[in-house]
Amino acid sequence: MRAIITGIGHYVPDNILTNQELEKMVDTNDEWIVSRTGIKERRILGKDKGTSYMAVKAAEMVLEQTNTAADELDLILVATSTPDMLIPATAAFVQKKLNATNCWGFDINAACCGFVYALATASQFIETGKHNKIMVIGVDKMSAIINYKDRNTCIIFGDGGGAALLESSNEDELGVEDYIFRLDGSGANLLNVQAGGSLFPASHETVDKKMHYIFQDGKKIFKYAVTAMSDVSIKIMEKNRLTGKDIKLLIPHQANLRIIDAVAKKMGLTRDKVMINIEKYGNTTAGTIPIAMSEAYQKNMMSKGDWIIISSFGAGFTSGSLLLKWALD
Ligand code: UT7
């Protein structure tokens, strides 16, 4: 049995935060942000809604697109680093809102690699014949953990997410073909949110020390990201005897345009073979890849039988690439 993507959708909030608006909030400027990151604007969800709101919107788009009833779902996987609450899993809120009455579900926290890890996890349940329909969601409300006085982070991140329906298929050639994943915990101190978990539970002290905000050592992460993302992306091509010429589209994690360009170059891909939308949404963490995939689908950038590589890097450090043969017309 093969695991194929039969529907892909996304949701981003209407509210736009532009570089010009950020210029009024921190010591930065549009020219610096665009030239160093490629980002022009990002979306912000607002205080009264949590991550599950966006997850549900994206999932509803996919259910409608594929003409699927929520009670047909066997499993809901939500990849996120910004759950609505620490307990229960965001998947529980999504299940209730969708009224998906015949499924189970859980969250996956792999930061920016969340969606690609979740897709691979879901593919196992399909390939073993255990399940037929799995909703795989990648979504983050990064504005909930951003210090809008920290120019190192507030210019980069945004809110949004996407969802894919993974189904079983008898067509041998299509769907998830292979993946290569890595986890390197030595990077845990370079990109993290320290407080709010069991090591540093919320306290006046953690709030005073701003430990509930995301911290990143951008320079070190940049170098690691280029190396790690290129490595797994090149390895998956080599392992499957493919070259840049065989790949129709790379859908990379959108963290920095310079990272994307460096990875694509090392893979032997020209810009027209790379899905890029970072200028509109910034880095939505687990959301970037399904949003990019959904927009690529809307723009007819993929046809049935095309080789697609998804590749990502994130906190942990996590990294991974997934090769699939596109199954939709
Ligand atoms: O998805 C999760 C993984 N995260 C990432 O992949 C992030 C990877 N890192 C990056 O994308 C980049 O490192 C950043 C965009 C975060 C920073 O870009 P950079 O080219 O590495 O800049 P830098 O940190 O080396 O800073 C260069 C200069 C510094 O000034 P000096 O020391 O040269 O005088 C910074 O203080 O730019 C300054 N700077 C800024 N200036 C204007 C740092 N942030 C800003 C800012 N606006 N927002």
Side-chain angles (χ1 to χ4, degrees):
M1 204 62 81
R2 302 278 295 191
I4 62 167
I5 292 176
T6 55
I8 176 81
H10 72 280
Y11 174 83
V12 290
D14 294 335
N15 183 25
I16 296 173
L17 177 62
T18 63
N19 289 352
Q20 287 73 20
E21 285 169 286
L22 281 168
E23 285 177 3
K24 294 176 201 149
M25 296 158 71
V26 287
D27 180 15
T28 191
N29 58 78
D30 177 56
E31 196 279 326
W32 191 96
I33 301 173
V34 173
S35 62
R36 301 281 178 136
T37 69
I39 302 166
K40 291 180 180 159
E41 55 190 44
R42 62 293 290 146
R43 303 298 176 103
I44 305 295
L45 185 61
K47 282 206 172 88
D48 58 330
K49 295 185 180 78
T51 291
S52 69
Y53 177 84
M54 299 185 287
V56 168
K57 289 274 187 196
E60 281 173 345
M61 181 173 165
V62 172
L63 291 176
E64 198 181 318
Q65 187 186 95
T66 56
N67 210 9
T68 304
D71 62 7
E72 291 178 62
L73 296 176
D74 299 306
L75 172 61
I76 296 172
L77 293 186
V78 179
T80 188
S81 304
T82 50
D84 282 20
M85 299 178 187
L86 278 180
I87 299 171
T90 302
F93 296 108
V94 176
Q95 179 278 328
K96 175 140 194 309
K97 258 291 173 44
L98 292 179
N99 198 24
T101 47
N102 290 312
C103 73
W104 62 300
F106 56 94
D107 290 1
I108 289 182
N109 179 346
C112 302
C113 284
F115 181 77
V116 69
Y117 279 23
L119 205 55
T121 305
S123 74
Q124 302 305 299
F125 289 104
I126 302 272
E127 286 169 15
T128 54
K130 187 78 185 161
H131 291 321
N132 288 317
K133 290 181 195 288
I134 303 178
M135 188 64 77
V136 184
I137 302 170
V139 59
D140 270 298
K141 182 186 174 184
M142 295 306 289
S143 63
I145 53 170
I146 295 290
N147 176 359
Y148 283 95
K149 291 188 173 135
D150 177 7
R151 69 177 184 175
N152 292 307
T153 51
C154 74
I155 57 134
I156 294 170
F157 294 100
D159 302 340
L165 184 64
L166 208 64
E167 293 193 66
S168 53
S169 165
N170 291 321
E171 282 194 77
D172 263 0
E173 303 276 294
L174 298 177
V176 177
E177 178 71 24
D178 198 7
Y179 49 83
I180 298 174
F181 293 153
R182 305 253 160 79
L183 179 63
D184 176 4
S186 65
N189 60 333
L190 298 175
L191 180 51
N192 57 36
V193 178
Q194 289 188 8
S198 57
L199 186 58
F200 300 108
S203 68
H204 287 295
E205 195 190 348
T206 61
V207 173
D208 289 344
K209 288 185 173 168
K210 301 184 171 38
M211 290 165 70
H212 301 267
Y213 292 129
I214 194 164
F215 162 81
Q216 75 165 5
D217 184 332
K219 236 185 175 79
K220 287 193 181 138
I221 296 164
F222 188 97
K223 283 186 197 147
Y224 194 102
V226 172
T227 308
M229 255 173 90
S230 307
D231 186 47
V232 288
S233 307
I234 291 166
K235 281 221 165 70
I236 206 155
M237 289 200 298
E238 286 173 355
K239 195 173 156 214
N240 291 277
R241 291 182 290 281
L242 300 169
T243 69
K245 286 198 183 99
D246 303 306
I247 306 304
K248 179 66 182 291
L249 196 66
L250 169 70
I251 305 177
H253 171 49
Q254 316 275 316
N256 186 314
L257 188 55
R258 291 184 294 140
I259 296 176
I260 296 172
D261 280 340
V263 171
K265 196 170 165 205
K266 288 187 184 210
M267 292 172 73
L269 299 176
T270 45
R271 258 278 180 96
D272 58 310
K273 288 189 166 195
V274 187
M275 177 58 200
I276 296 169
N277 61 2
I278 190 170
E279 70 283 359
K280 293 190 290 183
Y281 309 127
N283 182 349
T284 56
T285 302
T288 65
I289 288 178
I291 295 171
M293 187 184 280
S294 175
E295 291 198 338
Y297 177 58
Q298 287 175 342
K299 290 179 180 166
N300 291 316
M301 291 169 77
M302 304 168 286
S303 304
K304 191 171 179 178
D306 285 341
W307 283 119
I308 310 293
I309 291 183
I310 301 167
S311 142
S312 191
F313 166 84
F317 292 130
T318 53
S319 55
S321 61
L322 186 144
L323 175 71
L324 63 93
K325 210 165 222 190
W326 194 246
L328 289 164
D329 288 320

